[in-house]
Amino acid sequence: MNTKRILLAFLVLTGWMAPVADAQNYVAVPDGADDAAVLEAALAVRPSERQMAWQELEYYGFIHFGPNTFTGKEWGDGTTDPAVFNPTGLDANQWVAVFKEAGMKGLILTAKHHDGFCLWPTATTEYSVVQSPWRSGKGDLVKEVADACRAAGLKFGVYLSPWDRNHPAYGDSPAYNEVFRRQLTELLTNYGEVFEVWFDGANGEGPNGKVQQYDFESYYALIRQLQPGAVIAIMGPDVRWVGNEAGKGRDPEWSVLPVEVASRRKIAADSQQDVKQDMFVPKDARGNDLGSREKLKGTSGIIWYPSEVDTSIRPGWFYHSSQDDKVKSPRQLEDIYYSSIGMNSTLLLNIPPDRRGLIHENDIDHLMALRRRIEATFAVNLARQAKLSSVRPARGFEATKLTDGDKHSYWKATTAASEHAIEFHFKKPVTFDRLMLQENIRNGQRIEAFQLEIYQNGRWMKVAEGLTVGYKRLLRFEKVSSKKVRVKITAFRAAPELIEAGLYLAPEN
Ligand code: FUL
């Protein structure tokens, strides 16, 4: 073993780095590998099936609900009397109906936040719904939500905070690790299929607080065993935190990254460290480039580690009535949509139920306005009216595949040309202000730069440009009209492959 490998083994064994789950979404890079060998490794990395299924969900919602909802806090300290937890009209079917109507494909529930209060009748602690007046202590919120999701065809996921400010075993590392594994076991065996397990990186214990050594490896092994289809997010190997809680994405957004990005030590350090009473403290640990060729240099391995953008529709993650008039506007939500789903990420949008146990009317209004706007924008793919062509496509992978709506058929370039272009020829000029591209990520992520051009006054003119595409890329630009349009791919790691392409015109506001 050379030094780098010993270091890597040390980092994994000591829990500084999330291990990689499947062989196909991790490729080791030999020590001293030259640029060509690094590139080869980057091209060999693929999403696992569970990552692929997760990516296709695109849009799903977060529910933060618990004692904080009733105390006005963002981070409970674990001493709140369970008697406060008393929603008067809780209806999980309403939450699920709203999420579904909003176009979301799944829901993640804070089964336990940092305060340690469990929303299900767990055997691991008394600090749970059992001690609350809600449903006379006989309620099980995890069950109500999981059942409502299943009935409506939504995926169900759980947030379980490793940081626990109530449990007496916290800080006694082996004992608490066992408690945590039992909590996971309960959640992952009693409530049907789970699509995502969300492990927060936040840990606010000060230097005099209890220090817990989390045995993440054992948590992962248990999750794989009980819910093999579930992705493990944030402090986990399958889904990466985008790096901020404000809904911002980045370009380039690579899902193919140096394994060092998955260092749990780093994720935890970048996570939220502090809160104000009713609002999280904005922090941006994004960095603007994680996976360019430059960043891959010197890595010991490359992983498929796609990004999730998590943000709240309100200033806080939990409901505070003082924020009823601070719900993000449909316009702000639209910006978030483009900087998450439109930037090779998924969107996990938090909608916190109020003290009644219902999603507030203002949140519903804005969510539905977003849904209407997105649907109206993407209702008609104008590119379908065009004759599509590209120079020397691979046989069976012609440009016509780009508008057939089939996620398994794709366009593929054959040549080793330094540039590729797809042309769209229309009978009459078309007007549009949105471009959509989707790479065939089942074969990896390859595109490093592209631009959109229109033909005008006898020459090609650049309208918009971007770096990475990945699973999905959306560009917004000023309205343009033309009979001839082209997408030029100007930098790539191997012959580009695209599943779909679209040109759209957003409705006037
Ligand atoms: C953060 C937590 O500290 C917040 O309270 C919230 O749960 C958010 C999703 O993650 O790190």
Side-chain angles (χ1 to χ4, degrees):
M1 263 211 225
N2 56 40
T3 332
K4 208 196 271 170
R5 248 148 245 292
I6 293 170
L7 177 67
L8 179 66
F10 172 77
L11 292 176
V12 170
L13 288 173
T14 53
W16 285 32
M17 189 177 285
V20 273
D22 308 321
Q24 61 166 357
N25 65 5
Y26 170 70
V27 175
V29 176
D31 201 28
D34 62 10
D35 290 354
V38 174
L39 188 64
E40 198 183 315
L43 287 166
V45 176
R46 304 276 189 274
S48 64
E49 275 310 310
R50 65 172 76 85
Q51 287 173 317
M52 196 64 219
W54 161 87
Q55 187 94 53
E56 287 176 345
L57 298 177
E58 297 191 7
Y59 182 29
Y60 42 94
F62 223 163
I63 293 272
H64 275 67
F65 192 70
N68 294 344
T69 309
F70 303 88
T71 57
K73 289 189 183 150
E74 275 294 303
W75 277 5
D77 63 6
T79 62
T80 304
D81 185 343
V84 304
F85 186 81
N86 193 17
T88 47
L90 189 143
D91 181 4
N93 289 307
Q94 187 246 13
W95 308 356
V96 167
V98 169
F99 279 28
K100 196 170 177 179
E101 196 58 32
M104 294 176 177
K105 298 289 188 309
L107 178 159
I108 299 178
L109 171 69
T110 52
K112 180 187 81 170
H113 201 252
H114 310 326
D115 60 8
F117 185 83
C118 295
L119 299 183
W120 78 104
T122 175
T124 60
T125 174
E126 286 172 4
Y127 198 52
S128 78
V129 279
V130 173
Q131 284 190 335
S132 80
W134 177 65
R135 309 245 191 278
S136 312
K138 303 230 162 16
D140 182 343
L141 190 49
V142 174
K143 181 166 173 13
E144 291 192 18
V145 177
D147 287 352
C149 284
R150 200 159 317 111
L154 242 62
K155 302 269 180 203
F156 174 68
V158 290
Y159 167 114
L160 187 69
S161 172
W163 183 28
D164 188 318
R165 305 178 85 180
N166 175 275
H167 205 286
Y170 188 85
D172 175 352
S173 295
Y176 178 74
N177 281 325
E178 186 51 30
V179 167
F180 197 76
R181 280 189 297 267
R182 279 167 58 206
Q183 295 186 337
L184 275 174
T185 305
E186 291 175 356
L187 291 171
L188 303 181
T189 42
N190 298 335
Y191 302 100
E193 194 188 299
V194 167
F195 83 101
E196 178 162 339
V197 178
W198 216 94
F199 287 150
D200 210 308
N203 186 336
E205 292 296 357
N208 301 320
K210 294 177 181 173
V211 178
Q212 167 71 30
Q213 303 294 334
Y214 303 108
D215 185 1
F216 276 103
E217 304 308 321
S218 71
Y219 310 161
Y220 301 161
L222 189 61
I223 298 167
R224 292 292 193 243
Q225 181 201 327
L226 299 174
Q227 294 279 346
V231 288
I232 311 172
I234 318 309
M235 294 292 275
D238 303 318
V239 171
R240 170 173 46 96
W241 180 47
V242 72
N244 70 89
E245 295 178 338
K248 294 189 204 140
R250 63 164 79 68
D251 186 27
E253 182 54 271
W254 286 101
S255 298
V256 176
L257 294 171
V259 70
E260 292 77 12
V261 168
S263 149
R264 280 198 297 264
R265 173 67 55 99
K266 183 172 170 353
I267 300 167
D270 286 346
S271 293
Q272 202 172 324
Q273 305 295 329
D274 199 8
V275 283
K276 291 195 195 129
Q277 173 77 359
D278 60 355
M279 196 179 303
F280 52 83
V281 181
K283 184 164 186 211
D284 194 346
R286 258 179 313 165
N288 51 15
D289 165 23
L290 303 180
S292 66
R293 294 192 199 204
E294 201 50 44
K295 295 279 178 186
L296 293 176
K297 276 191 181 146
T299 185
S300 56
I302 302 184
I303 48 169
W304 188 270
Y305 199 31
S307 143
E308 176 185 81
V309 170
D310 66 316
T311 190
S312 183
I313 197 166
R314 289 164 173 255
W317 289 99
F318 285 88
Y319 176 85
H320 312 289
S321 57
S322 57
Q323 298 178 353
D324 283 348
D325 59 352
K326 296 198 175 67
V327 177
K328 288 191 173 85
S329 68
R331 181 43 52 106
Q332 285 172 303
L333 293 175
E334 189 184 1
D335 287 345
I336 290 171
Y337 188 92
Y338 282 94
S339 67
S340 54
I341 296 169
M343 289 180 114
N344 191 31
S345 292
T346 57
L347 173 56
L348 170 56
L349 182 61
N350 181 63
I351 321 290
D354 61 19
R355 290 181 184 182
R356 295 170 297 176
L358 295 174
I359 293 175
H360 192 273
E361 295 69 11
N362 295 358
D363 306 50
I364 299 179
D365 283 354
H366 294 194
L367 280 174
M368 297 313 150
L370 173 69
R371 163 104 201 226
R372 283 194 298 275
R373 173 110 185 125
I374 295 297
E375 265 187 3
T377 302
F378 296 103
V380 179
N381 183 358
L382 297 162
R384 293 210 169 148
Q385 301 163 14
K387 198 168 157 299
L388 271 78
S389 63
S390 74
V391 182
R392 284 191 296 280
R395 187 181 279 183
F397 299 94
E398 292 76 20
T400 47
K401 306 281 184 211
L402 289 169
T403 50
D404 65 1
D406 178 350
K407 68 178 183 181
H408 293 291
S409 78
Y410 55 96
W411 164 82
K412 179 179 176 176
T414 39
T415 60
S418 60
E419 198 170 273
H420 292 286
I422 303 147
E423 292 198 11
F424 306 73
H425 289 235
F426 296 88
K427 290 210 180 82
K428 297 188 303 223
V430 288
T431 304
F432 54 93
D433 55 10
R434 303 281 190 273
L435 168 72
M436 190 277 292
L437 293 175
Q438 286 197 281
E439 239 180 301
N440 182 31
I441 59 165
R442 285 179 189 279
N443 287 339
Q445 193 182 350
R446 303 176 173 190
I447 296 173
E448 294 173 311
F450 66 97
Q451 61 192 52
L452 175 70
E453 298 179 341
I454 57 169
Y455 198 72
Q456 226 172 36
N457 306 325
R459 63 187 185 91
W460 286 104
M461 261 183 47
K462 183 161 82 184
V463 172
E465 63 191 328
L467 297 171
T468 48
V469 174
Y471 171 74
K472 186 180 266 191
R473 188 67 202 271
L474 300 170
L475 293 185
R476 291 188 287 182
F477 40 88
E478 287 296 315
K479 235 178 357 196
V480 289
S481 300
S482 180
K483 274 174 75 173
K484 265 165 80 175
V485 179
R486 77 179 176 192
V487 171
K488 243 168 56 175
I489 301 170
T490 52
F492 43 88
R493 294 178 176 178
E497 297 182 1
L498 288 172
I499 290 193
E500 288 290 307
L503 297 171
Y504 305 90
L505 178 64
E508 300 292 336
N509 296 306

